[in-house]
Amino acid sequence: MDIGLKLKELRILKGLTQEELADRAELSKGFISQLERNLTSPSIATLTDILQCLGTSLGEFFNETPEEQIVFGKADYFEKYEADLKNTIKWIIPNAQKNVMEPILLTLEAGGSTYPDTPHEGEEFGYVLQGSVAIHIGSKTYRAKKGESFYFTADKQHYLTSKAGATLIWVSSPPSF
């Protein structure tokens, strides 16, 4: 852990100058500057005083929670091919079922479809990247082609089909894929 950098970031976040922090902690501006550049190390008592002036504690300061992954690539994806339905589902956000929404990249081959999904709480959204799809909701059918999107409440049985094939982003909330 880069203690100096973390102290500097916390000081800036609190809107304090080095001099203001030094005054509050009864230290010199030079000492704060050296701390932030990792040229010196504070005693536990001094660090505790500085952190108290910054509105935090030793425990909170040193608690290193792993940073949440924001960007995902091909190595993170999980793919499932369903030969009987002629579709490939690619989960593009790992463990998304624990989130509020679950996006997938769905590829339907010519004549492909998805399993009919039973009515459930939530909503469904899709954006067609390539080809066209038929969206079957209850007894009605809607069509969407490349560059179009769809959005509906999932309170009726629903599924997708494609005569010529399609690729789309499909998001279910809450997760159901």
Side-chain angles (χ1 to χ4, degrees):
M1 171 186 286
D2 186 335
I3 293 173
L5 179 62
K6 195 164 179 181
L7 281 172
K8 181 178 181 178
E9 288 173 346
L10 194 53
R11 174 183 60 77
I12 291 169
L13 185 66
K14 296 294 182 180
L16 298 173
T17 65
Q18 287 181 341
E19 191 168 358
E20 289 169 329
L21 178 58
D23 287 345
R24 290 181 184 193
E26 298 178 357
L27 299 165
S28 70
K29 178 183 178 246
F31 183 73
I32 298 294
S33 174
Q34 288 181 347
L35 275 178
E36 289 183 357
R37 293 180 291 143
N38 293 310
L39 298 176
T40 190
S41 298
S43 68
I44 298 294
T46 301
L47 183 57
T48 301
D49 289 344
I50 293 169
L51 293 175
Q52 187 176 18
C53 295
L54 292 171
T56 191
S57 67
L58 279 172
E60 290 173 356
F61 184 77
F62 286 106
N63 182 17
E64 292 216 55
T65 54
E67 192 170 311
E68 179 183 5
Q69 185 176 359
I70 302 297
V71 177
F72 302 93
K74 290 181 181 180
D76 299 307
Y77 301 167
F78 173 75
E79 191 171 302
K80 178 182 173 188
Y81 177 69
E82 295 179 311
D84 56 328
L85 295 175
K86 298 181 185 175
N87 77 37
T88 301
I89 298 174
K90 191 177 288 185
W91 284 267
I92 54 178
I93 304 295
N95 299 318
Q97 63 276 11
K98 67 180 173 41
N99 298 333
V100 175
M101 60 182 172
E102 181 177 26
I104 63 164
L105 179 63
L106 175 64
T107 302
L108 297 172
E109 296 173 10
S113 69
T114 60
Y115 281 115
D117 198 1
T118 56
H120 59 85
E121 270 188 44
E123 302 161 321
E124 306 275 337
F125 161 82
Y127 180 80
V128 183
L129 299 167
Q130 185 178 321
S132 63
V133 295
I135 305 111
H136 305 272
I137 305 168
S139 61
K140 295 186 178 181
T141 301
Y142 305 88
R143 305 215 180 280
K145 62 185 185 299
K146 179 181 177 178
E148 294 181 330
S149 57
F150 57 87
Y151 185 94
F152 60 90
T153 302
D155 59 353
K156 295 178 181 67
Q157 180 175 305
H158 50 280
Y159 63 99
L160 303 179
T161 59
S162 181
K163 287 183 181 175
T167 302
L168 61 141
I169 297 289
W170 194 1
V171 181
S172 181
S173 177
S176 67
F177 293 109

